[in-house]
Short mmCIF file of all heavy atoms in Angstrom, two decimals:
data_model
loop_
_atom_site.label_atom_id
_atom_site.label_comp_id
_atom_site.label_asym_id
_atom_site.label_seq_id
_atom_site.Cartn_x
_atom_site.Cartn_y
_atom_site.Cartn_z
N GLU A 1 18.43 36.81 -31.99
CA GLU A 1 18.44 38.25 -32.18
C GLU A 1 17.06 38.85 -31.98
O GLU A 1 16.93 40.01 -31.62
CB GLU A 1 18.92 38.54 -33.61
CG GLU A 1 20.37 38.28 -33.82
CD GLU A 1 20.79 38.56 -35.26
OE1 GLU A 1 20.04 39.18 -35.99
OE2 GLU A 1 21.93 38.13 -35.61
N ARG A 2 16.01 38.07 -32.21
CA ARG A 2 14.63 38.56 -32.01
C ARG A 2 14.14 38.40 -30.62
O ARG A 2 12.98 38.68 -30.30
CB ARG A 2 13.70 37.88 -32.99
CG ARG A 2 14.03 38.23 -34.42
CD ARG A 2 13.03 37.59 -35.34
NE ARG A 2 13.32 37.98 -36.72
CZ ARG A 2 12.55 37.70 -37.71
NH1 ARG A 2 11.44 37.02 -37.52
NH2 ARG A 2 12.87 38.09 -38.92
N GLY A 3 14.99 37.90 -29.72
CA GLY A 3 14.60 37.71 -28.30
C GLY A 3 13.90 36.41 -28.00
O GLY A 3 13.38 36.22 -26.92
N ARG A 4 13.96 35.48 -28.92
CA ARG A 4 13.28 34.18 -28.77
C ARG A 4 14.24 33.17 -28.04
O ARG A 4 15.43 33.08 -28.41
CB ARG A 4 12.85 33.61 -30.09
CG ARG A 4 12.07 32.34 -29.96
CD ARG A 4 11.63 31.86 -31.33
NE ARG A 4 10.84 30.65 -31.15
CZ ARG A 4 9.62 30.51 -31.53
NH1 ARG A 4 8.97 31.50 -32.12
NH2 ARG A 4 9.00 29.35 -31.33
N LEU A 5 13.74 32.52 -27.03
CA LEU A 5 14.55 31.54 -26.32
C LEU A 5 14.83 30.33 -27.16
O LEU A 5 13.93 29.73 -27.74
CB LEU A 5 13.77 31.07 -25.04
CG LEU A 5 14.51 30.07 -24.18
CD1 LEU A 5 15.79 30.66 -23.58
CD2 LEU A 5 13.59 29.55 -23.09
N ILE A 6 16.13 30.06 -27.30
CA ILE A 6 16.62 28.91 -28.11
C ILE A 6 16.88 27.75 -27.21
O ILE A 6 16.62 26.59 -27.53
CB ILE A 6 17.86 29.29 -28.94
CG1 ILE A 6 17.53 30.38 -29.89
CG2 ILE A 6 18.42 28.07 -29.61
CD1 ILE A 6 18.73 30.96 -30.62
N GLY A 7 17.46 28.02 -26.03
CA GLY A 7 17.85 26.94 -25.13
C GLY A 7 18.50 27.55 -23.88
O GLY A 7 18.55 28.75 -23.68
N VAL A 8 19.01 26.70 -23.04
CA VAL A 8 19.66 27.11 -21.80
C VAL A 8 21.02 26.35 -21.68
O VAL A 8 21.00 25.14 -21.81
CB VAL A 8 18.79 26.85 -20.57
CG1 VAL A 8 19.49 27.24 -19.28
CG2 VAL A 8 17.45 27.57 -20.70
N LEU A 9 22.06 27.11 -21.42
CA LEU A 9 23.35 26.51 -21.19
C LEU A 9 23.57 26.26 -19.74
O LEU A 9 23.17 27.12 -18.92
CB LEU A 9 24.47 27.44 -21.69
CG LEU A 9 24.63 27.61 -23.19
CD1 LEU A 9 25.66 28.70 -23.48
CD2 LEU A 9 25.04 26.34 -23.87
N GLU A 10 24.17 25.15 -19.42
CA GLU A 10 24.53 24.89 -18.01
C GLU A 10 26.03 24.81 -17.92
O GLU A 10 26.72 24.32 -18.81
CB GLU A 10 23.93 23.51 -17.60
CG GLU A 10 24.20 23.20 -16.16
CD GLU A 10 23.50 21.92 -15.73
OE1 GLU A 10 22.54 21.45 -16.37
OE2 GLU A 10 23.91 21.39 -14.69
N ASP A 11 26.56 25.33 -16.81
CA ASP A 11 28.02 25.40 -16.65
C ASP A 11 28.67 24.03 -16.83
O ASP A 11 29.73 23.87 -17.44
CB ASP A 11 28.42 26.05 -15.37
CG ASP A 11 27.95 25.27 -14.12
OD1 ASP A 11 27.12 24.33 -14.24
OD2 ASP A 11 28.40 25.61 -13.01
N GLY A 12 28.04 22.97 -16.36
CA GLY A 12 28.58 21.62 -16.47
C GLY A 12 28.75 21.18 -17.91
O GLY A 12 29.73 20.48 -18.24
N ASP A 13 27.87 21.58 -18.77
CA ASP A 13 27.98 21.27 -20.20
C ASP A 13 29.16 21.96 -20.80
O ASP A 13 29.89 21.40 -21.61
CB ASP A 13 26.70 21.67 -20.93
CG ASP A 13 25.49 20.88 -20.50
OD1 ASP A 13 25.67 19.71 -20.06
OD2 ASP A 13 24.37 21.41 -20.60
N LEU A 14 29.35 23.21 -20.40
CA LEU A 14 30.49 23.96 -20.93
C LEU A 14 31.83 23.48 -20.37
O LEU A 14 32.84 23.45 -21.04
CB LEU A 14 30.33 25.46 -20.65
CG LEU A 14 29.14 26.09 -21.39
CD1 LEU A 14 28.89 27.51 -20.89
CD2 LEU A 14 29.31 26.09 -22.87
N PHE A 15 31.81 23.07 -19.09
CA PHE A 15 33.03 22.46 -18.49
C PHE A 15 33.41 21.21 -19.20
O PHE A 15 34.57 20.95 -19.37
CB PHE A 15 32.83 22.19 -17.01
CG PHE A 15 32.99 23.36 -16.10
CD1 PHE A 15 31.92 23.75 -15.30
CD2 PHE A 15 34.12 24.11 -16.08
CE1 PHE A 15 32.04 24.85 -14.45
CE2 PHE A 15 34.26 25.17 -15.23
CZ PHE A 15 33.21 25.54 -14.45
N ALA A 16 32.46 20.42 -19.61
CA ALA A 16 32.71 19.13 -20.28
C ALA A 16 33.50 19.39 -21.57
O ALA A 16 34.29 18.55 -21.99
CB ALA A 16 31.41 18.42 -20.55
N GLY A 17 33.26 20.50 -22.20
CA GLY A 17 33.99 20.80 -23.42
C GLY A 17 35.37 21.36 -23.18
O GLY A 17 36.15 21.60 -24.11
N GLN A 18 35.72 21.63 -21.93
CA GLN A 18 36.99 22.19 -21.54
C GLN A 18 37.69 21.33 -20.50
O GLN A 18 38.09 21.81 -19.44
CB GLN A 18 36.78 23.61 -20.95
CG GLN A 18 35.99 24.55 -21.76
CD GLN A 18 36.74 25.03 -23.01
OE1 GLN A 18 37.94 25.12 -23.02
NE2 GLN A 18 36.00 25.33 -24.02
N PRO A 19 37.85 20.02 -20.73
CA PRO A 19 38.31 19.16 -19.67
C PRO A 19 39.70 19.41 -19.16
O PRO A 19 40.01 19.14 -18.00
CB PRO A 19 38.21 17.75 -20.32
CG PRO A 19 38.36 18.01 -21.77
CD PRO A 19 37.70 19.33 -22.02
N ARG A 20 40.57 19.98 -19.97
CA ARG A 20 41.94 20.21 -19.51
C ARG A 20 42.29 21.68 -19.46
O ARG A 20 43.44 22.06 -19.49
CB ARG A 20 42.93 19.49 -20.45
CG ARG A 20 42.68 18.01 -20.38
CD ARG A 20 43.80 17.26 -20.95
NE ARG A 20 43.53 15.85 -20.75
CZ ARG A 20 44.27 14.89 -21.12
NH1 ARG A 20 45.33 15.15 -21.84
NH2 ARG A 20 43.96 13.66 -20.88
N SER A 21 41.30 22.48 -19.32
CA SER A 21 41.54 23.91 -19.30
C SER A 21 41.56 24.45 -17.85
O SER A 21 41.22 23.72 -16.92
CB SER A 21 40.47 24.64 -20.10
OG SER A 21 39.25 24.60 -19.39
N TRP A 22 41.88 25.68 -17.71
CA TRP A 22 41.85 26.28 -16.37
C TRP A 22 40.44 26.44 -15.87
O TRP A 22 40.23 26.62 -14.67
CB TRP A 22 42.59 27.63 -16.42
CG TRP A 22 41.99 28.66 -17.32
CD1 TRP A 22 42.22 28.85 -18.63
CD2 TRP A 22 41.09 29.67 -16.91
NE1 TRP A 22 41.48 29.93 -19.06
CE2 TRP A 22 40.81 30.46 -18.03
CE3 TRP A 22 40.46 30.04 -15.70
CZ2 TRP A 22 39.90 31.53 -18.03
CZ3 TRP A 22 39.62 31.10 -15.65
CH2 TRP A 22 39.37 31.85 -16.82
N PHE A 23 39.44 26.35 -16.74
CA PHE A 23 38.03 26.45 -16.28
C PHE A 23 37.75 25.31 -15.31
O PHE A 23 37.15 25.48 -14.27
CB PHE A 23 37.06 26.40 -17.44
CG PHE A 23 37.13 27.57 -18.38
CD1 PHE A 23 37.48 27.41 -19.68
CD2 PHE A 23 36.87 28.87 -17.90
CE1 PHE A 23 37.56 28.49 -20.54
CE2 PHE A 23 36.91 29.92 -18.77
CZ PHE A 23 37.24 29.75 -20.06
N GLY A 24 38.14 24.09 -15.74
CA GLY A 24 37.90 22.92 -14.87
C GLY A 24 38.66 23.02 -13.58
O GLY A 24 38.14 22.67 -12.53
N ALA A 25 39.90 23.52 -13.65
CA ALA A 25 40.67 23.68 -12.44
C ALA A 25 40.00 24.66 -11.50
O ALA A 25 39.93 24.46 -10.29
CB ALA A 25 42.11 24.13 -12.79
N ARG A 26 39.55 25.75 -12.02
CA ARG A 26 38.88 26.78 -11.21
C ARG A 26 37.62 26.22 -10.55
O ARG A 26 37.40 26.48 -9.39
CB ARG A 26 38.54 27.98 -12.07
CG ARG A 26 37.90 29.06 -11.30
CD ARG A 26 37.63 30.27 -12.12
NE ARG A 26 36.90 31.25 -11.31
CZ ARG A 26 36.71 32.50 -11.67
NH1 ARG A 26 37.18 32.92 -12.78
NH2 ARG A 26 36.02 33.30 -10.91
N ARG A 27 36.87 25.46 -11.29
CA ARG A 27 35.65 24.90 -10.68
C ARG A 27 36.00 23.91 -9.57
O ARG A 27 35.37 23.92 -8.52
CB ARG A 27 34.88 24.13 -11.79
CG ARG A 27 33.58 23.55 -11.27
CD ARG A 27 32.86 22.84 -12.40
NE ARG A 27 31.52 22.45 -11.98
CZ ARG A 27 30.73 21.70 -12.69
NH1 ARG A 27 31.09 21.28 -13.84
NH2 ARG A 27 29.53 21.45 -12.23
N THR A 28 37.02 23.07 -9.78
CA THR A 28 37.42 22.10 -8.76
C THR A 28 37.93 22.84 -7.51
O THR A 28 37.64 22.44 -6.38
CB THR A 28 38.48 21.17 -9.34
OG1 THR A 28 37.98 20.57 -10.52
CG2 THR A 28 38.82 20.07 -8.32
N ILE A 29 38.70 23.89 -7.72
CA ILE A 29 39.21 24.66 -6.59
C ILE A 29 38.06 25.27 -5.80
O ILE A 29 38.01 25.22 -4.56
CB ILE A 29 40.17 25.76 -7.07
CG1 ILE A 29 41.48 25.08 -7.56
CG2 ILE A 29 40.45 26.79 -5.98
CD1 ILE A 29 42.37 26.03 -8.36
N ALA A 30 37.09 25.84 -6.53
CA ALA A 30 35.92 26.46 -5.88
C ALA A 30 35.12 25.46 -5.08
O ALA A 30 34.52 25.81 -4.05
CB ALA A 30 35.07 27.17 -6.91
N ARG A 31 35.09 24.19 -5.50
CA ARG A 31 34.30 23.20 -4.83
C ARG A 31 35.02 22.48 -3.68
O ARG A 31 34.41 21.70 -2.95
CB ARG A 31 33.81 22.17 -5.85
CG ARG A 31 32.77 22.73 -6.77
CD ARG A 31 32.23 21.66 -7.66
NE ARG A 31 31.05 22.18 -8.41
CZ ARG A 31 30.36 21.46 -9.24
NH1 ARG A 31 30.72 20.23 -9.51
NH2 ARG A 31 29.34 21.97 -9.86
N ALA A 32 36.32 22.76 -3.53
CA ALA A 32 37.05 22.13 -2.45
C ALA A 32 36.41 22.51 -1.11
O ALA A 32 36.18 23.71 -0.84
CB ALA A 32 38.51 22.55 -2.52
#
């Protein structure tokens, strides 16, 4: 809230938490 950097999220980390979701399917389709 104070504007201090806590960390950086990477899409791959978030995809790993959604292995059977449409997010993973969308990523795979985009990479075809």
